[in-house]
Amino acid sequence: EAEVEVNDSLMRFFDHCAKFVALVEENEAAMCQVNAFKEGPEMRKVLEKVASALCLPVEELNADLVQVAFLTCSYELAIKNVTSPWCSLFSEEDAKVLEYLNDLKQYWKRGYGYDINSRSSCILFQDIFQHLDKAVEESKSSKPISSPLIVQVGHAETLQPLLALMGFFKDDEPLKANNYIRQTHRKFRSGRIVPYAANLVFVLYHCDQVKTSTEEYQVQMLLNEKLMSFHHSNETISTYTDLKDYYKDILENCHFKEVCELPKVNITAVDEL
């Protein structure tokens, strides 16, 4: 019965950001780390093993084909709960290599690889806080909360940049083609951050019995139904005032049009990024 509003400019901000589309989405050079890993020693070892199992010359396989086989195995296990014959081609170590290949792509295309990936999501971040602000104002005025629940539906491509904008799952060292071993214990694991039905929930609380007025409104964040610790406090609950203050720069300096505008001078995509 609910009315649904389609707002692609908000929920598919990445499609509306010319700089992201031209310099990342459609720019092969932006995926240089991904392509280098496909040709690297870790993937070469997986290729040779799969080729041997299939009795094929290794020259007839490439990283993309092997990844398709691995994803087929993954999808059937996740969706149908059956073990695909394709799964027999891969060991746990092979799976870790292929997981890293996918994480590299998500890191450079949707995560911390380039600033524009996350910066383009600032309009969605602002929108979330505008809804929270409205609820706080209505509560302070003793008015009924006009929108006690707001549901916005997007994709992993919507959520991953937003989480990067907020600074979650950021490793000290960037994910690269040549540091697979050093990234064994990385925070950035896209399969855990944005699995099927991934969701991010902001919960706003009105607290009656508090010592100061700043504690009256507090917030929790849950990612995939699990509480998140805030960066500024390392706690799972924050005053709304402190949270807004921590993200003040993003909330006050989100200029989507300027951020997403393509450079007018001739400059290489890599230099610009």
PDB file of all heavy atoms in Angstrom, residues 165-192:
ATOM      1  N   LEU A 165      32.837   6.836   2.926  1.00  0.00           N
ATOM      2  CA  LEU A 165      32.755   8.264   3.264  1.00  0.00           C
ATOM      3  C   LEU A 165      32.805   8.459   4.777  1.00  0.00           C
ATOM      4  O   LEU A 165      33.415   9.404   5.273  1.00  0.00           O
ATOM      5  CB  LEU A 165      31.456   8.857   2.707  1.00  0.00           C
ATOM      6  CG  LEU A 165      31.247  10.356   2.906  1.00  0.00           C
ATOM      7  CD1 LEU A 165      32.181  11.163   1.993  1.00  0.00           C
ATOM      8  CD2 LEU A 165      29.794  10.749   2.641  1.00  0.00           C
ATOM      9  N   MET A 166      32.188   7.540   5.503  1.00  0.00           N
ATOM     10  CA  MET A 166      32.153   7.627   6.965  1.00  0.00           C
ATOM     11  C   MET A 166      33.412   7.073   7.621  1.00  0.00           C
ATOM     12  O   MET A 166      33.575   7.166   8.843  1.00  0.00           O
ATOM     13  CB  MET A 166      30.920   6.900   7.495  1.00  0.00           C
ATOM     14  CG  MET A 166      29.606   7.500   7.017  1.00  0.00           C
ATOM     15  SD  MET A 166      28.165   6.622   7.657  1.00  0.00           S
ATOM     16  CE  MET A 166      28.216   7.124   9.379  1.00  0.00           C
ATOM     17  N   GLY A 167      34.299   6.471   6.814  1.00  0.00           N
ATOM     18  CA  GLY A 167      35.585   6.012   7.336  1.00  0.00           C
ATOM     19  C   GLY A 167      35.612   4.605   7.891  1.00  0.00           C
ATOM     20  O   GLY A 167      36.581   4.217   8.557  1.00  0.00           O
ATOM     21  N   PHE A 168      34.583   3.813   7.614  1.00  0.00           N
ATOM     22  CA  PHE A 168      34.545   2.447   8.138  1.00  0.00           C
ATOM     23  C   PHE A 168      35.324   1.479   7.251  1.00  0.00           C
ATOM     24  O   PHE A 168      35.382   1.637   6.039  1.00  0.00           O
ATOM     25  CB  PHE A 168      33.097   1.973   8.278  1.00  0.00           C
ATOM     26  CG  PHE A 168      32.340   2.663   9.385  1.00  0.00           C
ATOM     27  CD1 PHE A 168      31.367   3.607   9.093  1.00  0.00           C
ATOM     28  CD2 PHE A 168      32.615   2.390  10.717  1.00  0.00           C
ATOM     29  CE1 PHE A 168      30.677   4.258  10.105  1.00  0.00           C
ATOM     30  CE2 PHE A 168      31.937   3.034  11.741  1.00  0.00           C
ATOM     31  CZ  PHE A 168      30.960   3.975  11.430  1.00  0.00           C
ATOM     32  N   PHE A 169      35.933   0.478   7.909  1.00  0.00           N
ATOM     33  CA  PHE A 169      36.662  -0.604   7.230  1.00  0.00           C
ATOM     34  C   PHE A 169      37.825  -0.071   6.401  1.00  0.00           C
ATOM     35  O   PHE A 169      38.102  -0.570   5.306  1.00  0.00           O
ATOM     36  CB  PHE A 169      35.706  -1.430   6.349  1.00  0.00           C
ATOM     37  CG  PHE A 169      34.495  -1.919   7.087  1.00  0.00           C
ATOM     38  CD1 PHE A 169      33.249  -1.344   6.851  1.00  0.00           C
ATOM     39  CD2 PHE A 169      34.597  -2.931   8.032  1.00  0.00           C
ATOM     40  CE1 PHE A 169      32.122  -1.777   7.543  1.00  0.00           C
ATOM     41  CE2 PHE A 169      33.475  -3.371   8.729  1.00  0.00           C
ATOM     42  CZ  PHE A 169      32.242  -2.792   8.478  1.00  0.00           C
ATOM     43  N   LYS A 170      38.510   0.906   6.942  1.00  0.00           N
ATOM     44  CA  LYS A 170      39.669   1.465   6.238  1.00  0.00           C
ATOM     45  C   LYS A 170      40.954   0.873   6.798  1.00  0.00           C
ATOM     46  O   LYS A 170      41.216   0.930   8.001  1.00  0.00           O
ATOM     47  CB  LYS A 170      39.700   2.991   6.373  1.00  0.00           C
ATOM     48  CG  LYS A 170      40.799   3.637   5.541  1.00  0.00           C
ATOM     49  CD  LYS A 170      40.721   5.149   5.571  1.00  0.00           C
ATOM     50  CE  LYS A 170      41.736   5.776   4.626  1.00  0.00           C
ATOM     51  NZ  LYS A 170      41.662   7.255   4.621  1.00  0.00           N
ATOM     52  N   ASP A 171      41.761   0.312   5.922  1.00  0.00           N
ATOM     53  CA  ASP A 171      43.035  -0.282   6.330  1.00  0.00           C
ATOM     54  C   ASP A 171      44.141   0.766   6.300  1.00  0.00           C
ATOM     55  O   ASP A 171      44.053   1.769   5.579  1.00  0.00           O
ATOM     56  CB  ASP A 171      43.391  -1.435   5.399  1.00  0.00           C
ATOM     57  CG  ASP A 171      42.410  -2.590   5.530  1.00  0.00           C
ATOM     58  OD1 ASP A 171      42.496  -3.327   6.524  1.00  0.00           O
ATOM     59  OD2 ASP A 171      41.551  -2.740   4.639  1.00  0.00           O
ATOM     60  N   ASP A 172      45.174   0.532   7.087  1.00  0.00           N
ATOM     61  CA  ASP A 172      46.310   1.465   7.137  1.00  0.00           C
ATOM     62  C   ASP A 172      47.022   1.525   5.786  1.00  0.00           C
ATOM     63  O   ASP A 172      47.525   2.569   5.382  1.00  0.00           O
ATOM     64  CB  ASP A 172      47.307   1.048   8.226  1.00  0.00           C
ATOM     65  CG  ASP A 172      46.704   1.168   9.625  1.00  0.00           C
ATOM     66  OD1 ASP A 172      45.791   1.994   9.806  1.00  0.00           O
ATOM     67  OD2 ASP A 172      47.134   0.418  10.517  1.00  0.00           O
ATOM     68  N   GLU A 173      47.041   0.403   5.114  1.00  0.00           N
ATOM     69  CA  GLU A 173      47.720   0.308   3.815  1.00  0.00           C
ATOM     70  C   GLU A 173      46.687   0.025   2.725  1.00  0.00           C
ATOM     71  O   GLU A 173      45.790  -0.801   2.919  1.00  0.00           O
ATOM     72  CB  GLU A 173      48.738  -0.842   3.867  1.00  0.00           C
ATOM     73  CG  GLU A 173      49.598  -0.983   2.636  1.00  0.00           C
ATOM     74  CD  GLU A 173      50.599  -2.135   2.762  1.00  0.00           C
ATOM     75  OE1 GLU A 173      50.629  -2.792   3.825  1.00  0.00           O
ATOM     76  OE2 GLU A 173      51.316  -2.383   1.787  1.00  0.00           O
ATOM     77  N   PRO A 174      46.769   0.712   1.604  1.00  0.00           N
ATOM     78  CA  PRO A 174      45.804   0.461   0.516  1.00  0.00           C
ATOM     79  C   PRO A 174      45.896  -0.975   0.003  1.00  0.00           C
ATOM     80  O   PRO A 174      46.972  -1.594   0.052  1.00  0.00           O
ATOM     81  CB  PRO A 174      46.223   1.450  -0.575  1.00  0.00           C
ATOM     82  CG  PRO A 174      47.056   2.469   0.105  1.00  0.00           C
ATOM     83  CD  PRO A 174      47.732   1.774   1.244  1.00  0.00           C
ATOM     84  N   LEU A 175      44.800  -1.508  -0.480  1.00  0.00           N
ATOM     85  CA  LEU A 175      44.812  -2.819  -1.116  1.00  0.00           C
ATOM     86  C   LEU A 175      45.456  -2.672  -2.493  1.00  0.00           C
ATOM     87  O   LEU A 175      45.014  -1.846  -3.297  1.00  0.00           O
ATOM     88  CB  LEU A 175      43.390  -3.369  -1.270  1.00  0.00           C
ATOM     89  CG  LEU A 175      42.819  -4.173  -0.095  1.00  0.00           C
ATOM     90  CD1 LEU A 175      42.679  -3.290   1.136  1.00  0.00           C
ATOM     91  CD2 LEU A 175      41.478  -4.789  -0.463  1.00  0.00           C
ATOM     92  N   LYS A 176      46.498  -3.462  -2.736  1.00  0.00           N
ATOM     93  CA  LYS A 176      47.196  -3.404  -4.023  1.00  0.00           C
ATOM     94  C   LYS A 176      47.478  -4.808  -4.536  1.00  0.00           C
ATOM     95  O   LYS A 176      47.324  -5.798  -3.815  1.00  0.00           O
ATOM     96  CB  LYS A 176      48.512  -2.618  -3.879  1.00  0.00           C
ATOM     97  CG  LYS A 176      48.306  -1.128  -3.605  1.00  0.00           C
ATOM     98  CD  LYS A 176      49.621  -0.376  -3.653  1.00  0.00           C
ATOM     99  CE  LYS A 176      49.405   1.123  -3.494  1.00  0.00           C
ATOM    100  NZ  LYS A 176      50.678   1.872  -3.565  1.00  0.00           N
ATOM    101  N   ALA A 177      47.920  -4.863  -5.780  1.00  0.00           N
ATOM    102  CA  ALA A 177      48.187  -6.155  -6.416  1.00  0.00           C
ATOM    103  C   ALA A 177      49.346  -6.888  -5.756  1.00  0.00           C
ATOM    104  O   ALA A 177      49.389  -8.121  -5.763  1.00  0.00           O
ATOM    105  CB  ALA A 177      48.478  -5.946  -7.903  1.00  0.00           C
ATOM    106  N   ASN A 178      50.274  -6.148  -5.159  1.00  0.00           N
ATOM    107  CA  ASN A 178      51.490  -6.770  -4.643  1.00  0.00           C
ATOM    108  C   ASN A 178      51.531  -6.933  -3.127  1.00  0.00           C
ATOM    109  O   ASN A 178      52.586  -7.218  -2.564  1.00  0.00           O
ATOM    110  CB  ASN A 178      52.718  -5.972  -5.094  1.00  0.00           C
ATOM    111  CG  ASN A 178      52.712  -4.547  -4.560  1.00  0.00           C
ATOM    112  OD1 ASN A 178      51.792  -4.145  -3.849  1.00  0.00           O
ATOM    113  ND2 ASN A 178      53.734  -3.776  -4.900  1.00  0.00           N
ATOM    114  N   ASN A 179      50.384  -6.728  -2.444  1.00  0.00           N
ATOM    115  CA  ASN A 179      50.431  -6.890  -0.982  1.00  0.00           C
ATOM    116  C   ASN A 179      49.353  -7.837  -0.460  1.00  0.00           C
ATOM    117  O   ASN A 179      48.804  -7.652   0.620  1.00  0.00           O
ATOM    118  CB  ASN A 179      50.368  -5.537  -0.270  1.00  0.00           C
ATOM    119  CG  ASN A 179      49.077  -4.766  -0.545  1.00  0.00           C
ATOM    120  OD1 ASN A 179      48.192  -5.244  -1.254  1.00  0.00           O
ATOM    121  ND2 ASN A 179      48.959  -3.581   0.028  1.00  0.00           N
ATOM    122  N   TYR A 180      49.070  -8.869  -1.244  1.00  0.00           N
ATOM    123  CA  TYR A 180      48.051  -9.866  -0.865  1.00  0.00           C
ATOM    124  C   TYR A 180      48.335 -10.472   0.510  1.00  0.00           C
ATOM    125  O   TYR A 180      47.437 -10.545   1.367  1.00  0.00           O
ATOM    126  CB  TYR A 180      47.984 -10.956  -1.936  1.00  0.00           C
ATOM    127  CG  TYR A 180      47.195 -12.178  -1.524  1.00  0.00           C
ATOM    128  CD1 TYR A 180      45.810 -12.124  -1.398  1.00  0.00           C
ATOM    129  CD2 TYR A 180      47.837 -13.391  -1.252  1.00  0.00           C
ATOM    130  CE1 TYR A 180      45.082 -13.247  -1.015  1.00  0.00           C
ATOM    131  CE2 TYR A 180      47.119 -14.517  -0.882  1.00  0.00           C
ATOM    132  CZ  TYR A 180      45.741 -14.436  -0.755  1.00  0.00           C
ATOM    133  OH  TYR A 180      45.025 -15.548  -0.376  1.00  0.00           O
ATOM    134  N   ILE A 181      49.567 -10.895   0.742  1.00  0.00           N
ATOM    135  CA  ILE A 181      49.907 -11.538   2.017  1.00  0.00           C
ATOM    136  C   ILE A 181      49.760 -10.557   3.177  1.00  0.00           C
ATOM    137  O   ILE A 181      49.203 -10.899   4.230  1.00  0.00           O
ATOM    138  CB  ILE A 181      51.353 -12.110   1.988  1.00  0.00           C
ATOM    139  CG1 ILE A 181      51.468 -13.209   0.923  1.00  0.00           C
ATOM    140  CG2 ILE A 181      51.746 -12.647   3.355  1.00  0.00           C
ATOM    141  CD1 ILE A 181      50.589 -14.423   1.174  1.00  0.00           C
ATOM    142  N   ARG A 182      50.226  -9.334   2.985  1.00  0.00           N
ATOM    143  CA  ARG A 182      50.140  -8.333   4.063  1.00  0.00           C
ATOM    144  C   ARG A 182      48.692  -7.949   4.370  1.00  0.00           C
ATOM    145  O   ARG A 182      48.402  -7.438   5.446  1.00  0.00           O
ATOM    146  CB  ARG A 182      50.946  -7.072   3.700  1.00  0.00           C
ATOM    147  CG  ARG A 182      52.437  -7.302   3.608  1.00  0.00           C
ATOM    148  CD  ARG A 182      53.220  -6.003   3.731  1.00  0.00           C
ATOM    149  NE  ARG A 182      52.866  -5.036   2.706  1.00  0.00           N
ATOM    150  CZ  ARG A 182      53.360  -5.030   1.470  1.00  0.00           C
ATOM    151  NH1 ARG A 182      54.217  -5.982   1.099  1.00  0.00           N
ATOM    152  NH2 ARG A 182      53.017  -4.108   0.595  1.00  0.00           N
ATOM    153  N   GLN A 183      47.794  -8.204   3.442  1.00  0.00           N
ATOM    154  CA  GLN A 183      46.383  -7.859   3.644  1.00  0.00           C
ATOM    155  C   GLN A 183      45.544  -9.046   4.117  1.00  0.00           C
ATOM    156  O   GLN A 183      44.313  -9.005   4.053  1.00  0.00           O
ATOM    157  CB  GLN A 183      45.791  -7.299   2.341  1.00  0.00           C
ATOM    158  CG  GLN A 183      46.369  -5.965   1.905  1.00  0.00           C
ATOM    159  CD  GLN A 183      45.933  -4.814   2.805  1.00  0.00           C
ATOM    160  OE1 GLN A 183      45.332  -5.017   3.855  1.00  0.00           O
ATOM    161  NE2 GLN A 183      46.241  -3.595   2.395  1.00  0.00           N
ATOM    162  N   THR A 184      46.203 -10.066   4.637  1.00  0.00           N
ATOM    163  CA  THR A 184      45.487 -11.252   5.115  1.00  0.00           C
ATOM    164  C   THR A 184      44.432 -10.896   6.158  1.00  0.00           C
ATOM    165  O   THR A 184      43.339 -11.460   6.185  1.00  0.00           O
ATOM    166  CB  THR A 184      46.479 -12.276   5.714  1.00  0.00           C
ATOM    167  OG1 THR A 184      47.411 -12.658   4.699  1.00  0.00           O
ATOM    168  CG2 THR A 184      45.755 -13.512   6.222  1.00  0.00           C
ATOM    169  N   HIS A 185      44.765  -9.961   7.034  1.00  0.00           N
ATOM    170  CA  HIS A 185      43.847  -9.587   8.116  1.00  0.00           C
ATOM    171  C   HIS A 185      43.208  -8.219   7.857  1.00  0.00           C
ATOM    172  O   HIS A 185      42.933  -7.458   8.785  1.00  0.00           O
ATOM    173  CB  HIS A 185      44.591  -9.583   9.453  1.00  0.00           C
ATOM    174  CG  HIS A 185      45.200 -10.911   9.794  1.00  0.00           C
ATOM    175  ND1 HIS A 185      44.438 -12.016  10.118  1.00  0.00           N
ATOM    176  CD2 HIS A 185      46.498 -11.321   9.838  1.00  0.00           C
ATOM    177  CE1 HIS A 185      45.229 -13.049  10.357  1.00  0.00           C
ATOM    178  NE2 HIS A 185      46.482 -12.660  10.193  1.00  0.00           N
ATOM    179  N   ARG A 186      42.971  -7.904   6.601  1.00  0.00           N
ATOM    180  CA  ARG A 186      42.410  -6.602   6.239  1.00  0.00           C
ATOM    181  C   ARG A 186      40.993  -6.412   6.791  1.00  0.00           C
ATOM    182  O   ARG A 186      40.257  -7.382   7.007  1.00  0.00           O
ATOM    183  CB  ARG A 186      42.391  -6.444   4.713  1.00  0.00           C
ATOM    184  CG  ARG A 186      41.485  -7.424   3.994  1.00  0.00           C
ATOM    185  CD  ARG A 186      41.704  -7.375   2.488  1.00  0.00           C
ATOM    186  NE  ARG A 186      40.851  -8.330   1.772  1.00  0.00           N
ATOM    187  CZ  ARG A 186      41.138  -9.618   1.639  1.00  0.00           C
ATOM    188  NH1 ARG A 186      42.254 -10.105   2.168  1.00  0.00           N
ATOM    189  NH2 ARG A 186      40.314 -10.420   0.973  1.00  0.00           N
ATOM    190  N   LYS A 187      40.653  -5.146   6.980  1.00  0.00           N
ATOM    191  CA  LYS A 187      39.294  -4.791   7.401  1.00  0.00           C
ATOM    192  C   LYS A 187      38.349  -4.780   6.207  1.00  0.00           C
ATOM    193  O   LYS A 187      37.166  -5.090   6.339  1.00  0.00           O
ATOM    194  CB  LYS A 187      39.290  -3.403   8.053  1.00  0.00           C
ATOM    195  CG  LYS A 187      40.141  -3.292   9.303  1.00  0.00           C
ATOM    196  CD  LYS A 187      40.189  -1.839   9.769  1.00  0.00           C
ATOM    197  CE  LYS A 187      41.181  -1.648  10.903  1.00  0.00           C
ATOM    198  NZ  LYS A 187      41.317  -0.210  11.265  1.00  0.00           N
ATOM    199  N   PHE A 188      38.874  -4.374   5.047  1.00  0.00           N
ATOM    200  CA  PHE A 188      38.044  -4.212   3.860  1.00  0.00           C
ATOM    201  C   PHE A 188      37.773  -5.565   3.207  1.00  0.00           C
ATOM    202  O   PHE A 188      38.566  -6.062   2.412  1.00  0.00           O
ATOM    203  CB  PHE A 188      38.706  -3.255   2.860  1.00  0.00           C
ATOM    204  CG  PHE A 188      37.784  -2.800   1.761  1.00  0.00           C
ATOM    205  CD1 PHE A 188      37.044  -1.643   1.891  1.00  0.00           C
ATOM    206  CD2 PHE A 188      37.650  -3.545   0.600  1.00  0.00           C
ATOM    207  CE1 PHE A 188      36.185  -1.223   0.889  1.00  0.00           C
ATOM    208  CE2 PHE A 188      36.792  -3.136  -0.411  1.00  0.00           C
ATOM    209  CZ  PHE A 188      36.052  -1.973  -0.271  1.00  0.00           C
ATOM    210  N   ARG A 189      36.653  -6.168   3.573  1.00  0.00           N
ATOM    211  CA  ARG A 189      36.215  -7.433   2.971  1.00  0.00           C
ATOM    212  C   ARG A 189      34.781  -7.217   2.488  1.00  0.00           C
ATOM    213  O   ARG A 189      33.832  -7.265   3.274  1.00  0.00           O
ATOM    214  CB  ARG A 189      36.279  -8.579   3.980  1.00  0.00           C
ATOM    215  CG  ARG A 189      37.700  -8.966   4.355  1.00  0.00           C
ATOM    216  CD  ARG A 189      37.732 -10.146   5.318  1.00  0.00           C
ATOM    217  NE  ARG A 189      39.089 -10.466   5.691  1.00  0.00           N
ATOM    218  CZ  ARG A 189      39.891 -11.301   5.039  1.00  0.00           C
ATOM    219  NH1 ARG A 189      39.461 -11.914   3.956  1.00  0.00           N
ATOM    220  NH2 ARG A 189      41.114 -11.534   5.462  1.00  0.00           N
ATOM    221  N   SER A 190      34.642  -6.984   1.200  1.00  0.00           N
ATOM    222  CA  SER A 190      33.342  -6.592   0.646  1.00  0.00           C
ATOM    223  C   SER A 190      32.261  -7.642   0.890  1.00  0.00           C
ATOM    224  O   SER A 190      31.087  -7.303   1.057  1.00  0.00           O
ATOM    225  CB  SER A 190      33.469  -6.292  -0.847  1.00  0.00           C
ATOM    226  OG  SER A 190      33.990  -7.408  -1.546  1.00  0.00           O
ATOM    227  N   GLY A 191      32.641  -8.902   0.929  1.00  0.00           N
ATOM    228  CA  GLY A 191      31.653  -9.960   1.169  1.00  0.00           C
ATOM    229  C   GLY A 191      31.034  -9.892   2.547  1.00  0.00           C
ATOM    230  O   GLY A 191      29.912 -10.357   2.758  1.00  0.00           O
ATOM    231  N   ARG A 192      31.744  -9.310   3.495  1.00  0.00           N
ATOM    232  CA  ARG A 192      31.214  -9.150   4.851  1.00  0.00           C
ATOM    233  C   ARG A 192      30.545  -7.783   5.024  1.00  0.00           C
ATOM    234  O   ARG A 192      29.614  -7.637   5.811  1.00  0.00           O
ATOM    235  CB  ARG A 192      32.331  -9.306   5.881  1.00  0.00           C
ATOM    236  CG  ARG A 192      32.968 -10.693   5.859  1.00  0.00           C
ATOM    237  CD  ARG A 192      34.089 -10.805   6.876  1.00  0.00           C
ATOM    238  NE  ARG A 192      34.808 -12.076   6.750  1.00  0.00           N
ATOM    239  CZ  ARG A 192      35.871 -12.411   7.469  1.00  0.00           C
ATOM    240  NH1 ARG A 192      36.340 -11.562   8.369  1.00  0.00           N
ATOM    241  NH2 ARG A 192      36.456 -13.585   7.295  1.00  0.00           N
TER     242      ARG A 192
END
